[in-house]
Amino acid sequence: MKTENKRTVTHIVKQLLNLSIKEIDHVIGNNHYDYLMDVKEYVELSSTFKSDYWKIVNRVVDNGYVYLKTNEVIRLIRDKIKTEIYKRIKESPVPNIPKNLQYLVGIVKNRPLPRAPLESSQLTTYPPCAMRVIARSEANENLSHFERFFLTAFLLKTGKSVEDVIKFFSTSPDFNEKVARYQVEHIAGLKGGRKAYNVPDCKTLFSQSLCYKDESCNGISHPLQYGKRYVKRGEKSSDRKGHIPKEDF
Amino acid sequence: MKKVLIEKDTFLKKTFKKYYYGFITKLRVPSRLPEREIGYLTFSPERMVRHLALKSEGELRALILHEVPKALYYSSAYYDDPSAPINERIWKGADLIFDIDLDHLPYEENLMTSFYICPICKNMFDNLINKNCPNCNSQTIEEVKIATKKGLESCKKEIIKLTEILEKDFGLLKDNFCIYFSGKRGYHLTVEGSKYEIADQPFRIELSDYLTLNGFKINRILNENISIEQQIHQFPSPWERGWLGRFSREYIKSTFSDFINHDEDSFRKILLSILSSSKHENLLSSLESIKKRLSVKIDVAVTTDVHRIFRMPDTLHGGTGLVKKKVDEIDKFSPLTDAVVLSDEPTKIHVLYSPKLELKDTFYGPYKNEDITLPEYVATFLVAMGLAQTIENS
Ligand code: SF4
Ligand SMILES: [Zn+2]
């Protein structure tokens, strides 16, 4: 049973997640190790874990590989499997809708869409892309590096403080205050005398599959322009460009 | 004849210029130069110029001869367009870089000679009570730290520890290591073309913590909450990999008087006698001091910065007149000789104060408030340190 488990885990890690891993049988003191994992891949997988237990300084590292037990490998790949499955569902083709149900499609398609807000209020000034990431974060899902970066830069640029942003992330399951603070301050430009990073534009978000465009986006090209169109109706496109400051240090 | 004291930067720039003109064809240009950001510091008025992109070796040599920089830097990172504003550049990766500086070593006697010198009243003090000059009360008083041979030897030991771990634990090849004497108070190690080149900052933080043993749990070696039998069993074997093996070997070295040609079984037996007869606190404190000895004293801020610019090899250090020198064989390298590249042309200087120092296997000083003629490289060292000025007769 045990070896069968091990074989399944190996299969999943190698075939589904495309990570390099080697089976071993090695005893150190009271510990029996089953796997070697590439140290870079290990650090990526464990980066969201809070406890010092997962730091590489507390692992056996040799020749670029980390020694692991089967249950540790399972813990490491859990979140990754979740995202992988989600990705595959998203990418899979939409099945053909049976003829007798197609009239429903017509109804849904022609239903009037909810009205886009005309004035900016607390809740509606966030574009769909940002709302989506916030929702994912609030549902305790693990955000990718890029999602975290986008959300941090976005919240900072729309007036949230570094403390607010860190607090916002503090509810996530593997929150590590030190790392989070470092990253948020880095993006805010507080580290190393740098200027803040810019919020990625719609094109970039789209290419990262994070754009959830709807009517309310109304032809904008940058999430920070969201909502502003309604207020400053007469602005020229060159002014809009000014929302994205070009910075340097 | 009237004695005229020459301004520090005027003299240094002249000396640096002479050196670069003679040496420029031999300067080793960093690999992948067009992908790196270049920066430099000018002589007075001191100005930092950054975000340069150089297309060729020729452009680099021209820049050096034209500007005669006080310091020249290159990024460890590779970019698509190094001269673009920082947030529009595409970061393609970065060498692993490590900085061992005397300032980061735990205190020991005679690693550095340090004292204070007041640029206003030109007095020297061994210690300060507050931050003002005890003589003229000036607040601009400066601390001078001169690395000793012993201090630089200690840095070398850290470099040796570092290379051993990078090779064994991280599978890096010695052929990819470049070790340099920084030109002042320490050593640099860079690793080019490794599988960690594209590693991001979180990885570099983890790597730094690994090397400095930051967050290391001693209870992986000795755990009070389990039985003696389990403790003996848990204690890592000296033949173990990674940190556990290093702790075990160091523990043997400091505790067992003669552990040669021993095997695993006799090791466990000796361990049993030690563990059952020692107090847990004493065992713990000896493991804590082993941890201090084993950790590699790198400057973590350097290793974890993926946009840092770093002194370029073969260029002069504005604080000493020594060169950032590639080390071929660390055991045979002698920084205070091998990094001396300036001439020995007799140079007349007025020395405010200098402790006894050794350059190129010769001792100089101590000097106090005197005019003396010394080889150019010694004179430059003292001027660059702010301890002397050159004299011209007019
Ligand atoms: S286009 Fe821009 S603003 Fe509109 S949803 Fe996508 S990312 Fe958000
Ligand atoms: Zn004074």
Side-chain angles (χ1 to χ4, degrees), chain B residues 94-283:
Chain B
D95 303 334
L96 291 181
I97 54 175
F98 305 92
D99 176 27
I100 305 274
D101 192 288
L102 266 178
D103 288 324
H104 283 91
L105 297 197
Y107 177 79
E108 240 183 274
E109 250 171 42
N110 301 326
L111 295 180
M112 298 188 263
T113 317
S114 70
F115 52 93
Y116 297 85
I117 205 142
C118 175
I120 307 297
C121 70
K122 318 275 187 205
N123 276 300
M124 184 289 256
F125 309 92
D126 284 324
N127 290 300
L128 284 192
I129 298 152
N130 52 37
K131 282 177 182 158
N132 298 358
C133 170
N135 184 49
C136 74
N137 215 26
S138 156
Q139 290 182 359
T140 56
I141 190 151
E142 280 163 19
E143 186 177 17
V144 179
K145 294 181 196 168
I146 301 177
T148 62
K149 222 175 181 173
K150 180 187 169 194
L152 293 172
E153 280 303 310
S154 303
C155 290
K156 245 190 203 178
K157 284 185 196 138
E158 295 299 315
I159 285 282
I160 292 166
K161 277 157 63 182
L162 175 62
T163 53
E164 194 255 347
I165 296 171
L166 291 177
E167 258 192 290
K168 291 220 175 84
D169 298 10
F170 291 89
L172 288 165
L173 300 173
K174 233 189 183 131
D175 291 348
N176 294 346
F177 295 169
C178 282
I179 301 167
Y180 302 95
F181 169 57
S182 73
K184 198 172 187 186
R185 280 201 298 269
Y187 286 85
H188 297 163
L189 188 146
T190 63
V191 187
E192 291 185 14
S194 76
K195 69 166 178 172
Y196 305 107
E197 186 176 294
I198 51 160
D200 56 3
Q201 192 159 42
F203 178 84
R204 290 168 201 246
I205 292 171
E206 273 293 287
L207 174 62
S208 299
D209 287 346
Y210 187 90
L211 295 166
T212 55
L213 284 170
N214 185 26
F216 181 84
K217 296 259 180 281
I218 293 279
N219 66 12
R220 292 173 67 203
I221 297 169
L222 194 67
N223 186 349
E224 196 181 9
N225 303 320
I226 53 180
S227 69
I228 284 275
E229 289 72 32
Q230 281 174 308
Q231 285 180 22
I232 308 288
H233 188 59
Q234 185 209 26
F235 201 96
S237 147
W239 294 279
E240 193 44 81
R241 295 143 216 253
W243 277 126
L244 293 181
R246 280 187 201 96
F247 267 88
S248 183
R249 291 190 293 275
E250 190 68 20
Y251 185 72
I252 288 169
K253 222 161 78 184
S254 63
T255 315
F256 299 13
S257 45
D258 54 340
F259 186 79
I260 310 159
N261 297 328
H262 274 10
D263 55 17
E264 191 72 48
D265 282 346
S266 46
F267 169 64
R268 301 283 155 195
K269 268 182 209 132
I270 304 174
L271 210 54
L272 175 65
S273 70
I274 294 177
L275 294 193
S276 49
S277 66
S278 318
K279 269 195 179 151
H280 189 74
E281 302 91 77
N282 297 344
L283 292 167

Side-chain angles (χ1 to χ4, degrees), chain A residues 45-153:
Chain A
L45 289 174
S46 63
S47 65
T48 50
F49 297 172
K50 195 175 164 184
S51 149
D52 276 354
Y53 173 84
W54 294 97
K55 289 179 72 59
I56 55 173
V57 73
N58 288 318
R59 324 287 336 176
V60 177
V61 182
D62 186 55
N63 201 30
Y65 289 90
V66 180
Y67 284 72
L68 294 167
K69 301 173 192 170
T70 305
N71 63 343
E72 291 169 337
V73 172
I74 292 170
R75 176 67 192 91
L76 281 165
I77 60 175
R78 219 165 59 190
D79 299 333
K80 185 114 179 154
I81 289 173
K82 228 162 65 183
T83 20
E84 188 64 25
I85 290 169
Y86 181 71
K87 205 177 100 199
R88 288 192 181 201
I89 292 171
K90 235 179 108 184
E91 283 168 358
S92 64
V94 181
N96 284 329
I97 296 158
K99 265 219 170 89
N100 56 350
L101 288 180
Q102 286 207 342
Y103 74 100
L104 282 173
V105 176
I107 292 173
V108 173
K109 260 191 178 161
N110 294 324
R111 195 166 55 191
L113 283 145
R115 229 200 246 159
L118 286 178
E119 263 168 297
S120 52
S121 73
Q122 262 315 108
L123 277 171
T124 52
T125 43
Y126 285 172
C129 46
M131 291 301 281
R132 187 68 173 226
V133 180
I134 291 169
R136 266 172 49 65
S137 170
E138 279 170 352
N140 282 342
E141 299 191 53
N142 269 317
L143 303 185
S144 73
H145 276 308
F146 187 83
E147 283 174 291
R148 251 175 235 269
F149 166 75
F150 162 50
L151 190 55
T152 304

